[in-house]
């Protein structure tokens, strides 16, 4: 195995390759991309913990992340492993209840796009078509997440 550098990819390209953002126009993708920053974490590092303020949502670019749902500050045994292209941290788009409900921890070294949730909500308010598309995706994401955790 070689340690070749990861090809350079723009935030808009990252977004376009996800199911969550994939239906947006090129102009809409570019607007959302301006709200994101690429971050890296090492193996075992938490991205966020239960109860923390949900300031950003994330798109996993490289690596694997373990999600562990919690209640009352404790992690449950249920969880999910996220891979490239998965979107997580959706609590950043729920302004009335924007605290983390899970802990996200890197299982491997990870690269992810962190998107400012408050600014994304503002953009969704300005562009109702974009807002409707993302809220439809958010509904599916939340439903899928809850179904996966309920199923163990």
């Amino acid at each position: 195995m070689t340690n070749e550098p990861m090809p350079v990819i723009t935030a808009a390209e990252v977004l376009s390759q996800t199911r969550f953002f994939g239906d947006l126009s090129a102009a809409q993708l570019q607007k959302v991309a301006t709200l994101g920053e690429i971050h890296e974490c090492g193996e075992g590092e938490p991205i966020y913990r239960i109860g923390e303020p949900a300031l950003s949502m994330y798109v996993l670019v490289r690596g694997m992340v373990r999600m562990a749902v919690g209640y009352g500050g404790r992690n449950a045994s249920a969880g999910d492993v996220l891979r490239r292209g998965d979107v997580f941290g959706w609590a950043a788009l729920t302004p009335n209840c924007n605290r983390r409900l899970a802990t996200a921890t890197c299982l491997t070294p990870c690269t992810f796009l962190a998107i400012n949730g408050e600014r994304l909500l503002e953009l969704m308010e300005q562009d109702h078509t974009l807002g409707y598309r993302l809220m439809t995706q958010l509904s599916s994401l939340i439903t899928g997440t809850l179904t996966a955790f309920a199923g163990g």
Side-chain angles (χ1 to χ4, degrees), residues 101-122:
L101 304 173
T103 296
T105 306
C106 297
L107 292 175
T108 64
C110 292
T111 303
F112 52 90
L113 179 66
I115 302 167
N116 182 296
E118 184 177 342
R119 291 185 57 210
L120 182 55
L121 286 169
E122 290 170 2

Side-chain angles (χ1 to χ4, degrees), residues 42-64:
E43 180 179 342
E45 286 186 53
I47 298 169
Y48 57 78
R49 292 182 174 94
I50 295 167
E52 291 180 348
L55 303 177
S56 298
M57 70 177 304
Y58 304 93
V59 179
L60 189 56
V61 176
R62 180 183 59 90
M64 294 189 315

Side-chain angles (χ1 to χ4, degrees), residues 68-89:
V69 173
Y71 181 75
R74 297 184 342 193
N75 283 342
S77 59
D80 200 10
V81 175
L82 306 176
R83 291 176 171 72
R84 183 178 184 264
D86 285 339
V87 173
F88 61 105

Side-chain angles (χ1 to χ4, degrees), residues 18-29 31-32 57 87 93 120-121 123-125 127-142:
T18 68
R19 187 174 3 173
F20 192 88
F21 294 100
D23 288 339
L24 299 181
S25 70
Q28 290 170 327
L29 285 170
K31 287 178 185 177
V32 174
M57 70 177 304
V87 173
L93 296 184
L120 182 55
L121 286 169
L123 181 60
M124 292 164 65
E125 181 66 33
D127 181 342
H128 292 166
T129 301
L130 179 144
Y132 177 78
R133 287 184 177 150
L134 293 186
M135 279 299 156
T136 300
Q137 292 295 343
L138 181 63
S139 174
S140 295
L141 182 61
I142 292 170

